[in-house]
Amino acid sequence: MARLLQSGGLIAVLALGMVMPGWLELFTIYEITIYLIMAVLALSLAFIWGKGGIMCLGQAAFFGLGAYAWAVAAINFGPGLPAIAIAIAVPALFAAVLGYFMFYGRINDIYIGVITLAVTLILFNLINSTSGPQYRIGSALLGGFNGMTSVPTLTWPGGTPLGPADIFRLTVAVLVTSIVAISLYLKTTPGKVVIAVRENEYRAELLGYHVARSKLVTFTLGGALAGLGGCLFANWGAFVSPTIFSLVQSAQIIIWVIVGGRGTLVGPILGCIALQWATTKLGTQQVVQVNLVLGVVLAFFVLVVPQGIQPMITKALRPLFRRETKPATKERLT
Amino acid sequence: MDFASILIIEILGSIAILVLISIGLAVVFGMMKVINMAHGEFLMLGGYVTIYGTNHGGLSFWVSSLILAPIVVGLIGLLLEWLVIRHLYGRMIDTMLATWGISLALIGGMTMLVGNTTTGISTPLPSVSIGEFSVSGYVMFLIALAIMVFALLYVLFKLTTFGLLARATTQNADMVAALGGNPRRIYALTFGLGAALAGLGGAALAPLTGVIPTIGASYIAKAFITVISGGFAVIAGNLSAATLFGTVGQVFTYLYTPVIGEVALLLTAIVLIRLLPKGITGRFFRRSI
């Protein structure tokens, strides 16, 4: 029952996503698209951290690298599929190299959090300092703190660029496909090892699983997904700037996951969309600073609702499925 | 020869700066096993206290940076420890996330209070010339200050009752409680001490960089790297990591640009952490504090 509801829900979301742009105004499409792009980013951290137990505080690094890789590749090789491949490969490779040093060095969670965050902040400084004309990759100027403007948008095979409604549909498709792919992956043996490592690393290792390799794969896949999100982001705004790597950007991703619910996939997406909507609304008034509110929300959730919102909703809805106890417990386990 | 001595002073200066931005974090991490994500904002607050104390409060720079800033930021640290952090001891990751919340809130709050423009303060000491080269006298002061901070911490941890209790709590908090100590209070005071040191560091660096509510972000990466590479031993770890990274950073800064220096620093740290997962003092100088 619950599973049927889930798949039904996903198909409904997908269908809705495909027809929705026809009903909406252009501005609304833009606004919802950015929420959904960030939801892809939230999902990537939900996978790495919630499912894999790897506390990556610098998920923005992969997102930003994806966006920059798209921008550079699209300017040099044209905005087609090869550029998308590059936009996924660069952050994935970066995650793999970084992950190798972290997981094969057997460093613990706190260190991973700090190192990933430090990497993000240093990428911020690095990109920020590339404002001279000598900083170019091929024919793409990096632009320093001004960012890269007029980034080409993905084109159909024929050569016409995708419109806002198409980007919207693409984002919905990416999001739904990623949720399905991650759920299916977690049902395979390597996916179950991911959960086992999260639950008890030592035990998983004693059972003969290669913990470092499993973590490395999780981290790389999550980095690739975040990179894809970044690629969509660069397509959405035709613009990338170093603020994509900023401390506040990194913090927001963590806040979405914490508020939505660590350990779930859908919770962080809901948290992401709700908080982004709230942040946009807050941004239009001048009295209270957005960072102040975000910070208080984060501290509040850590102190008072550490499990996040989604588990609360699930708990509240459980009586509706009382007769179907089996799917309910099963859902809790996966 | 003159040039060599200038280069050595510059390297010592960048080591001293690393020490000043990271020692407060090192105390909290080494003694409490807590990474304080709001550390960068404590530095920022230290800078603001100094600037307001000097430019508007009529105090001399030395009084507001060496005395007022550590006291004010230390008290803010105690308050935040009481409000948020004391509920989370033993939940290491949650402390980290909650302090990140505090960090964002402090950035937002300060932006509301003072706006998001850089406020500056003039560098108090004249430059010193060696042969045909000259070096900022303020860098000399920073080196002296870093040495003073180490001396002070050594005395505090080795020769006072608080230091003894703090070190004992680090080893076994339950045993300290059983013997009549109060780990809660020691943790609170340690956190306050870390915040005060951050206030001092931020105050000392304010004349070099100016202060803006978001300045914490530019310190925090280097501070984290120094502290985790150093390991749990507060003084030996901080000193060894700061010496290594300060030298690497300054040499690459001298050869290329400050940003390349920062990248070199990070790469050194990542390789180091791969070789020594528990930090430098996890392997060497293990018996030191």
Side-chain angles (χ1 to χ4, degrees):
Chain A
M1 175 77 183
R3 178 177 295 181
L4 209 73
L5 246 137
Q6 272 173 4
S7 358
L10 281 175
I11 292 170
V13 168
L14 192 60
L16 193 67
M18 293 304 129
V19 295
M20 220 159 100
W23 309 334
L24 299 172
E25 285 176 48
L26 193 62
F27 178 74
T28 322
I29 294 177
Y30 265 119
E31 205 173 311
I32 302 179
T33 310
I34 186 65
Y35 294 175
L36 295 176
I37 290 171
M38 293 302 177
V40 173
L41 178 58
L43 181 67
S44 75
L45 187 66
F47 174 58
I48 293 185
W49 187 23
K51 298 293 179 187
I54 302 163
M55 188 174 62
C56 174
L57 299 185
Q59 195 70 2
F62 310 125
F63 186 73
L65 278 174
Y68 267 95
W70 164 265
V72 169
I75 291 172
N76 281 313
F77 311 121
L81 289 179
I84 290 201
I86 292 172
I88 297 173
V90 169
L93 197 70
F94 187 76
V97 173
L98 185 63
Y100 166 76
F101 279 98
M102 296 193 305
F103 305 130
Y104 283 73
R106 294 168 159 275
I107 62 178
N108 71 27
D109 286 353
I110 297 283
Y111 290 71
I112 289 174
V114 169
I115 288 184
T116 48
L117 184 64
V119 165
T120 313
L121 294 176
I122 285 173
L123 277 174
F124 174 77
N125 286 343
L126 186 66
I127 303 279
N128 220 0
S129 73
T130 56
S131 47
Q134 71 273 32
Y135 296 104
R136 49 167 71 240
I137 300 175
S139 51
L141 268 177
L142 288 176
F145 48 83
N146 293 318
M148 298 175 74
T149 47
S150 49
V151 175
T153 308
L154 181 65
T155 55
W156 295 105
T160 42
L162 272 71
D166 302 319
I167 303 274
F168 178 93
R169 293 194 182 98
L170 181 66
T171 308
V172 173
V174 166
L175 187 60
V176 173
T177 316
S178 312
I179 296 173
V180 173
I182 293 174
S183 310
L184 290 178
Y185 175 67
L186 290 171
K187 294 211 171 17
T188 64
T189 310
K192 284 177 179 158
V193 175
V194 170
I195 306 286
V197 169
R198 176 192 70 185
E199 290 300 321
N200 191 332
E201 209 173 312
Y202 191 50
R203 188 168 60 200
E205 186 153 23
L206 288 178
L207 287 170
Y209 296 110
H210 199 313
V211 169
R213 195 175 57 204
S214 168
K215 280 183 161 183
L216 183 61
V217 171
T218 308
F219 195 63
T220 309
L221 289 176
L225 183 58
L228 180 58
C231 166
L232 290 170
F233 177 77
N235 268 299
W236 170 78
F239 174 68
V240 280
S241 83
T243 50
I244 207 169
F245 296 110
S246 70
L247 194 63
V248 173
Q249 173 70 41
S250 308
Q252 277 191 339
I253 312 169
I254 300 284
I255 299 173
W256 300 332
V257 175
I258 294 211
V259 169
R262 268 178 275 183
T264 68
L265 290 181
V266 178
I269 293 176
L270 299 178
C272 166
I273 293 173
L275 276 169
Q276 279 193 93
W277 176 80
T279 321
T280 316
K281 288 280 164 277
L282 264 174
T284 53
Q285 52 89 38
Q286 298 293 317
V287 190
V288 188
Q289 242 272 327
V290 173
N291 286 336
L292 180 64
V293 178
L294 281 176
V296 172
V297 165
L298 176 56
F300 175 81
F301 267 81
V302 171
L303 277 174
V304 184
V305 204
Q307 81 278 25
I309 283 174
Q310 208 231 332
M312 271 166 65
I313 298 176
T314 318
K315 215 170 164 186
L317 289 181
R318 190 154 293 156
L320 297 178
F321 304 110
R322 195 30 61 83
R323 266 169 293 171
E324 303 269 343
T325 44
K326 209 173 142 214
T329 44
K330 199 170 177 190
E331 193 187 2
R332 206 153 47 88
L333 284 174
T334 47
Chain B
M1 196 57 225
D2 293 343
F3 179 71
S5 48
I6 292 287
L7 193 63
I8 287 169
I9 290 170
E10 299 258 301
I11 288 175
L12 284 176
S14 78
I15 294 171
I17 290 173
L18 269 187
V19 166
L20 291 172
I21 63 177
S22 63
I23 188 70
L25 192 65
V27 165
V28 173
F29 176 67
M31 291 288 161
M32 300 160 66
K33 314 279 184 286
V34 164
I35 289 267
N36 173 24
M37 302 284 281
H39 180 74
E41 282 60 49
F42 287 172
L43 288 161
M44 176 266 288
L45 289 176
Y48 272 116
V49 171
T50 308
I51 286 175
Y52 277 83
T54 312
N55 292 353
H56 304 282
L59 295 168
S60 88
F61 170 79
W62 307 108
V63 173
S64 52
S65 68
L66 296 177
I67 298 167
L68 188 65
I71 291 176
V72 172
V73 181
L75 289 176
I76 294 173
L78 281 178
L79 176 71
L80 291 171
E81 199 271 350
W82 181 75
L83 273 176
V84 178
I85 296 158
R86 72 188 167 110
H87 306 289
L88 298 168
Y89 286 129
R91 289 155 61 189
M92 207 170 176
I93 290 174
D94 286 345
T95 8
M96 211 168 157
L97 298 170
T99 48
W100 204 349
I102 295 176
S103 144
L104 285 177
L106 287 175
I107 295 176
M110 278 315 276
T111 310
M112 280 169 69
L113 281 177
V114 301
N116 54 358
T117 47
T118 307
T119 322
I121 182 170
S122 53
T123 315
L125 292 173
S127 61
V128 179
S129 50
I130 300 176
E132 53 182 312
F133 302 99
S134 73
V135 63
S136 153
Y138 196 67
V139 170
M140 307 274 214
F141 164 72
L142 292 180
I143 298 170
L145 184 64
I147 294 171
M148 262 168 50
V149 165
F150 276 131
L152 195 111
L153 282 179
Y154 185 83
V155 169
L156 185 69
F157 283 130
K158 274 288 199 192
L159 306 179
T160 65
T161 317
F162 167 77
L164 184 69
L165 279 170
R167 282 185 293 137
T169 309
T170 306
Q171 305 223 328
N172 192 334
D174 289 339
M175 188 56 78
V176 169
L179 292 171
N182 185 348
R184 274 284 156 96
R185 199 164 75 202
I186 289 161
Y187 279 146
L189 287 174
T190 311
F191 195 83
L193 173 66
L197 288 169
L200 178 69
L205 293 178
L208 290 184
T209 55
V211 190
I212 185 168
T214 51
I215 199 170
S218 57
Y219 292 134
I220 198 83
K222 277 191 231 167
F224 279 164
I225 289 169
T226 311
V227 168
I228 62 170
S229 306
F232 285 123
V234 179
I235 295 177
N238 197 256
L239 186 58
S240 51
T243 307
L244 175 65
F245 294 142
T247 311
V248 168
Q250 189 59 39
V251 167
F252 277 86
T253 301
Y254 169 71
L255 292 175
Y256 303 99
T257 64
V259 174
I260 300 290
E262 217 164 279
V263 172
L265 197 157
L266 174 77
L267 291 179
T268 317
I270 290 179
V271 173
L272 187 82
I273 254 335
R274 170 75 180 85
L275 301 173
L276 308 171
K278 289 193 169 149
I280 298 171
T281 53
R283 185 72 173 265
F284 309 110
F285 321 114
R286 223 178 300 178
R287 310 276 312 269
S288 44
I289 53 168

